[in-house]
Amino acid sequence: MTLSPFRQIFYTSRCVPGVDVDQIVQHSRHNNAVDGITGLLWYKDGIFLQVIEGPESSVASTYARIARDSRHDSLTILSDRPVEAREFGYWSMERAERGNADSDALLARLERRLNNAPDAVRQAFTAAAFR
């Protein structure tokens, strides 16, 4: 039995009011680059959808840090699975939000990245992107 080299967690949470989402993304990009984490953060109307992936220990510690973060409320894991290859490999943490100037290009890239993702992951991001 071979173990997958990576773990991927997909979760949703509510953002407490007054949080600077851009600041979260900037800190995440730095921390994730150090820890070997890649992923995507989708934010809309106070709701986060996020995928984090990377080495098992890095994903576990990153998720534990997120779970302790008082800026998140109602944290719910939608998918926690081993993956053979990164699905968000070039994104230390990409922020996606409908209505940005480059949202169409980002949505096209997201769609390509989600090609091999489980249906639940793909459907959740698709629903968030077009609601």
Side-chain angles (χ1 to χ4, degrees):
M1 174 185 200
T2 47
L3 296 175
S4 294
F6 302 111
R7 178 180 180 190
Q8 182 185 81
I9 295 178
F10 174 40
Y11 74 88
T12 183
S13 68
R14 290 195 170 281
C15 178
V16 297
V19 168
D20 184 344
V21 176
D22 289 325
Q23 183 181 39
I24 289 174
V25 171
Q26 290 306 313
H27 285 134
S28 294
R29 284 182 179 150
H30 171 76
N31 292 338
N32 291 348
V34 169
D35 294 336
I37 298 290
T38 53
L40 172 75
L41 175 69
W42 181 274
Y43 175 76
K44 184 176 179 190
D45 299 332
I47 302 293
F48 288 122
L49 288 174
Q50 184 169 22
V51 172
I52 55 173
E53 62 186 11
E56 165 68 38
S57 61
S58 294
V59 171
S61 62
T62 298
Y63 185 77
R65 186 172 56 246
I66 291 166
R68 291 188 308 269
D69 190 330
S70 62
R71 297 173 294 186
H72 292 273
D73 188 29
S74 304
L75 198 65
T76 304
I77 293 177
L78 302 174
S79 173
D80 184 351
R81 67 188 182 110
V83 291
E84 292 295 321
R86 294 176 187 265
E87 293 172 353
F88 300 91
Y90 297 106
W91 296 349
S92 62
M93 187 49 58
E94 185 72 26
R95 177 180 178 186
E97 183 174 16
R98 188 116 175 112
N100 286 353
D102 62 346
S103 64
D104 288 342
L106 181 61
L107 288 172
R109 287 188 351 229
L110 176 58
E111 187 175 89
R112 285 191 306 273
R113 294 271 188 247
L114 290 172
N115 260 353
N116 297 322
D119 286 341
V121 173
R122 194 170 41 257
Q123 289 171 2
F125 271 113
T126 301
F130 296 104
R131 70 180 167 127

